Amino acid sequence: MAEFIGMLGPLPVGSIQHRASGWWGMWTVIATEGSLFAYLLFSYAYLGSQSHGGWVSELPKLKLALPNTVLLIASSLVLYWGETGIRKGQRGRLLLGLAATFIMGAVFAGVQGLEWHNKKFGPSDDAYASTYFMTTGFHMAHVIGGLLIIAALFLWGAMGKFSAQRHSTVSIGALYWHFVDVVWLAVFVTFYVTPYLHAHHG
């Protein structure tokens, strides 16, 4: 019996079907985490509407945030390019896409950390500062989680675990990364764009 099991080799990673059970599980995670981000952004809007006087002490600088946002969105496109590669059985293309996505995501995290360092206010200074650091910090935690997923996918890909028939794990991991990027767009618009709109309106 043991010899027969040994002949079968190691179990494959991922289901043959594209939308495996993990796919729906990831959508459940996204719905839950998306609700938390919605609450955070609603808190920002509500506290801002109740603020008497200046809600934002100074307009946020876009010198780092804007190109960093473009970089993160571009990483989703690169990841999609790599994912479509493994659907065609192109493992090298998958590995290249995963590696590039990891690097771009790591650069985003580093730039975000630099921006935190350059802020003239701290998390406990006022309500605006608290919501800013809580929301961007919560997003950063998701970025780090996404980078761990990308790293795991790269390792499995390098070990030859994925093929044109079995790559659902890649699609599930990519779905999470796309979610992280879409959430950042909402965070960026809320904290970096709307203050300029309010200032112009005022």
Side-chain angles (χ1 to χ4, degrees), residues 102-185:
F102 184 89
I103 293 172
M104 296 168 80
V107 171
F108 172 87
V111 172
Q112 184 64 44
L114 178 62
E115 189 168 4
W116 285 345
H117 178 74
N118 292 337
K119 290 294 183 184
K120 297 180 180 179
F121 53 82
S124 60
D125 284 2
D126 51 38
Y128 169 78
S130 296
T131 53
Y132 169 80
F133 279 105
M134 180 178 295
T135 305
T136 56
F138 192 50
H139 180 265
M140 177 65 78
H142 285 72
V143 170
I144 293 174
L147 288 175
L148 293 176
I149 292 174
I150 297 299
L153 292 175
F154 181 87
L155 179 61
W156 282 341
M159 295 170 62
K161 299 294 185 180
F162 306 126
S163 65
Q165 291 74 33
R166 291 186 180 274
H167 56 266
S168 62
T169 307
V170 176
S171 299
I172 294 168
L175 179 62
Y176 181 83
W177 187 256
H178 298 324
F179 162 71
V180 170
D181 292 1
V182 169
V183 166
W184 176 252
L185 280 179

Side-chain angles (χ1 to χ4, degrees), residues 44-131:
Y44 170 88
Y46 175 77
L47 292 172
S49 66
Q50 299 300 310
S51 176
H52 300 287
W55 165 238
V56 180
S57 56
E58 65 175 18
L59 291 176
K61 295 179 174 61
L62 300 177
K63 183 178 180 180
L64 292 177
L66 183 57
N68 213 28
T69 298
V70 174
L71 178 67
L72 191 64
I73 300 306
S75 73
S76 263
L77 300 177
V78 171
L79 181 57
Y80 177 76
W81 174 78
E83 181 190 356
T84 55
I86 196 59
R87 293 178 188 175
K88 302 175 183 178
Q90 301 174 2
R91 187 161 64 98
R93 178 168 154 181
L94 170 66
L95 294 176
L96 183 59
L98 289 171
T101 301
F102 184 89
I103 293 172
M104 296 168 80
V107 171
F108 172 87
V111 172
Q112 184 64 44
L114 178 62
E115 189 168 4
W116 285 345
H117 178 74
N118 292 337
K119 290 294 183 184
K120 297 180 180 179
F121 53 82
S124 60
D125 284 2
D126 51 38
Y128 169 78
S130 296
T131 53

